[in-house]
Amino acid sequence: MSKLIPTPGQTVGPFYGYALPFNKDNELLAPGSVGSIRLQGTVYDGNGETIPDAILEIWQPDSEGNVVQRTGSLVRDGYTFTGWGRAAVGNSGVFTFTTVNPGPTEAGAAPFISVAVFARGLMNRLFTRIYLPENEEALAADPLLSSLDPERRSTLIARRDPDGGLTWDLRLQGENETVFLDFERVEGASH
């Protein structure tokens, strides 16, 4: 019997428009809805150049800190907050979502948005977070943020725009590289 050779890994992108995008994928609720904000930013590579073809997915609680737990998040009816969205980065490297400021999921916790990044050159998707900038006490007490050096911590905290929206830039490598999370399987844990 011959020995089997593993298939080499392939990168996550480039992406093709067939079956991946869906209508209003970056709108977790309709623009102009009560409490809606724009979350925007730019994706950069290790040389500081914009990446024109990445895809970002976000998951977050609603403004009260409730995590949406019903099916149908791909259905955009213009009224229902879904808690999940996907945005393709444009030719300029810019992404935008229409969402709400997430509330804390427990008292005193720092609200955040979970992010998954897919881009060419990546063997696997990357995970990170976007924190709201306002509550200094909650940010200081957050287990993840408090484990980081202040310079690295700042890569996870968005800037508040004059219109109430959020701006957060993502740097895949190099100077001011965004902090990425590594979810390892724990030995003996059930799946």
Side-chain angles (χ1 to χ4, degrees), residues 1-163:
M1 177 182 252
S2 64
K3 182 177 178 181
L4 298 177
I5 300 171
T7 304
Q10 296 182 6
T11 63
V12 181
F15 303 102
Y16 303 99
Y18 176 73
L20 185 61
F22 62 94
N23 195 28
K24 301 178 184 181
D25 57 355
N26 66 335
E27 296 177 8
L28 282 71
L29 75 166
S33 299
V34 174
S36 68
I37 64 163
R38 182 183 64 219
L39 167 62
Q40 65 182 351
T42 306
V43 181
Y44 297 97
D45 67 14
N47 294 322
E49 300 293 324
T50 58
I51 296 177
D53 58 0
I55 293 178
L56 274 64
E57 291 183 352
I58 63 172
W59 299 270
Q60 69 170 88
D62 66 16
S63 59
E64 302 298 316
N66 301 310
V67 176
V68 176
Q69 296 187 8
R70 59 179 181 256
T71 60
S73 66
L74 297 181
V75 177
R76 303 296 201 225
D77 64 8
Y79 300 97
T80 307
F81 176 75
T82 64
W84 179 85
R86 176 187 294 146
V89 174
N91 289 334
S92 61
V94 174
F95 66 88
T96 184
F97 290 95
T98 302
T99 188
V100 297
N101 288 309
T105 55
E106 55 187 61
F112 65 86
I113 299 169
S114 296
V115 181
V117 182
F118 303 85
R120 65 181 136 133
L122 296 178
M123 299 303 281
N124 293 299
R125 63 189 169 179
L126 300 173
F127 296 97
T128 189
R129 291 180 175 180
I130 304 169
Y131 285 87
L132 304 184
E134 286 81 20
N135 189 334
E136 297 283 336
E137 188 175 318
L139 292 172
D142 183 82
L144 172 61
L145 291 177
S146 63
S147 72
L148 301 171
D149 293 329
E151 304 82 44
R152 302 284 291 140
R153 185 179 311 138
S154 67
T155 69
L156 299 180
I157 302 173
R159 298 180 307 278
R160 183 65 68 185
D161 299 328
D163 67 359

Side-chain angles (χ1 to χ4, degrees), residues 185-191:
R185 183 170 63 165
V186 178
E187 292 297 322
S190 62
H191 304 304

